[in-house]
Amino acid sequence: MKHQEKPPEDNLTELIEFVLLDFADVPHLQWLLFGLFLVIYIIIVMSNGIIFLITKLDPSLQTPMYFFLGNFSFLEICYVSVTLPRMLMNLWTQRRTISLVACATQMCCILVLGTTECFLLAVMAYDRYMAICNPLHYPLTMNHKTCIQLATGSWISGIPVQIGQTVQIFSLPFCDSNLIDHFFCDIPPVLKLACGNTFVNEMMVYIVAVLIVSVPFLLILISYGKIISTILKLHSATSRAKAFSTCSSHLTVVVLFFGSAIITYLRPKASHSARIDKVLSLFYTVVTPMFNPLIYSLRNKEVITALRKLLCK
């Protein structure tokens, strides 16, 4: 992103709304995209809703691992509900305007929920680490009170930071163009419309991204390094297979989410392009939440059993 000097006041326009271009460059595919994303949204809400429900109702799933999985599924519903309904409305009405306040609110919600997902995935990795590497201390360490504190901390820790970052970005003056070449109000496309020198804002984005994305990711890698080391020392092949199966689902989700998020927010600005940003954003805001229930349920016999009980009822 180029650092522009602030233009004269005559060239500035007080913007009261933006236009989300989303997929306006393919007008012949609008209805196809509407149908596709509507089906995807329904699948995400229903599948994650079912996992959230069974982790709350099934007695066999009242363990820390499934407590965090229930939180994660509810988070995915919230996460996708911030972006997809607005995109569906834009595709249906072809009116792509969004007010300045609504745009700032959407950005803030995405950032807060994204932060929660980073922390929650790290907490889930810590839970697996304690269960496999310290099984004797696990019931005492990961008691119900601790689980609630870890989950609550994951949900609220990013709120003050991301509110501050959103306020900082929307305090900037914006140039005449109000066209956001994206399907939601994300940081890179909004910053492109800002006038003046945005270097400080870009540095703040990098610093926050490093702290909120990279640090939890490194903690997860350390946890899984110790987990794998412990699993390889197990004498029973059955025990090793069960331990790997338990961790592989979570590790798959970690790679999908953190991989796309790191590429989006930590790659050099010179390599940014609207099309690549849209694809990456679709990946971690739509594709990952859609596949998470499949990843966790298809590889987990306890979840499948609980799901059968629910369906039989």
Side-chain angles (χ1 to χ4, degrees):
M1 187 179 300
K2 295 180 180 179
H3 309 305
Q4 306 165 8
E5 293 302 321
K6 185 175 178 180
E9 292 296 324
D10 293 341
N11 294 335
L12 293 177
T13 304
E14 187 178 350
L15 297 179
I16 58 172
E17 64 181 17
F18 292 103
V19 177
L20 290 167
L21 295 180
D22 52 63
F23 304 101
D25 54 338
V26 284
H28 56 290
L29 296 178
Q30 298 298 292
W31 289 109
L32 176 62
L33 290 171
F34 175 82
L36 176 64
F37 286 118
L38 178 61
V39 171
I40 289 174
Y41 183 58
I42 293 171
I43 290 172
I44 291 172
V45 172
M46 288 186 63
S47 56
N48 283 284
I50 289 171
I51 287 186
F52 175 76
L53 194 62
I54 61 177
T55 57
K56 299 302 176 187
L57 299 179
D58 196 289
S60 65
L61 301 184
Q62 303 308 304
T63 62
M65 183 175 78
Y66 295 109
F67 171 77
F68 293 126
L69 179 58
N71 269 267
F72 189 72
S73 295
F74 179 69
L75 171 66
E76 294 292 57
I77 294 173
C78 297
Y79 199 51
V80 78
S81 295
V82 176
T83 56
L84 270 186
R86 164 71 66 171
M87 183 166 64
L88 289 170
M89 184 181 72
N90 290 346
L91 289 169
W92 176 267
T93 63
Q94 296 298 300
R95 292 184 69 252
R96 295 181 166 84
T97 56
I98 181 171
S99 70
L100 194 72
V101 174
C103 188
T105 303
Q106 186 186 55
M107 178 185 288
C108 188
C109 289
I110 283 288
L111 294 176
V112 169
L113 293 172
T115 302
T116 301
E117 185 152 352
C118 291
F119 290 160
L120 198 54
L121 285 170
V123 167
M124 292 168 78
Y126 175 71
D127 173 65
R128 292 299 82 210
Y129 161 74
M130 289 301 301
I132 293 172
C133 300
N134 296 287
L136 297 179
H137 296 93
Y138 180 71
L140 183 63
T141 305
M142 299 302 292
N143 56 58
H144 186 62
K145 181 181 178 181
T146 301
C147 291
I148 291 176
Q149 288 174 339
L150 288 171
T152 303
S154 299
W155 279 94
I156 67 175
S157 294
I159 292 176
V161 175
Q162 299 299 9
I163 288 178
Q165 182 160 248
T166 304
V167 169
Q168 185 188 43
I169 290 171
F170 280 88
S171 297
L172 291 168
F174 291 95
C175 300
D176 291 335
S177 176
N178 65 344
L179 304 178
I180 299 177
D181 195 2
H182 214 294
F183 61 91
F184 69 93
C185 292
D186 201 8
I187 292 176
V190 171
L191 270 181
K192 285 181 180 178
L193 304 182
C195 298
N197 194 325
T198 59
F199 178 76
V200 174
N201 302 87
E202 290 173 20
M203 286 301 100
M204 287 302 299
V205 171
Y206 272 114
I207 291 169
V208 172
V210 167
L211 292 175
I212 289 176
V213 178
S214 299
V215 172
F217 185 60
L218 288 174
L219 292 174
I220 292 170
L221 291 181
I222 292 170
S223 297
Y224 272 102
K226 294 183 177 181
I227 287 170
I228 292 170
S229 176
T230 302
I231 291 174
L232 293 175
K233 293 176 184 177
L234 296 175
H235 298 295
S236 169
T238 305
S239 299
R240 287 198 299 270
K242 184 178 180 181
F244 272 123
S245 178
T246 303
C247 297
S248 60
S249 299
H250 179 252
L251 199 55
T252 303
V253 173
V254 166
V255 171
L256 288 173
F257 177 78
F258 278 99
S260 54
I262 287 172
I263 294 171
T264 300
Y265 292 104
L266 294 179
R267 78 183 194 272
K269 292 293 179 183
S271 63
H272 273 266
S273 75
R275 183 162 297 184
I276 293 175
D277 285 347
K278 286 180 188 178
V279 171
L280 289 170
S281 298
L282 277 173
F283 204 82
Y284 68 82
T285 60
V286 177
V287 176
T288 304
M290 182 174 66
F291 282 108
N292 283 349
L294 293 175
I295 292 169
Y296 278 110
S297 61
L298 291 179
R299 300 180 63 85
N300 193 306
K301 293 180 181 179
E302 291 176 318
V303 172
I304 292 174
T305 303
L307 184 57
R308 284 174 179 168
K309 288 181 186 176
L310 182 67
L311 294 175
C312 289
K313 289 180 181 179

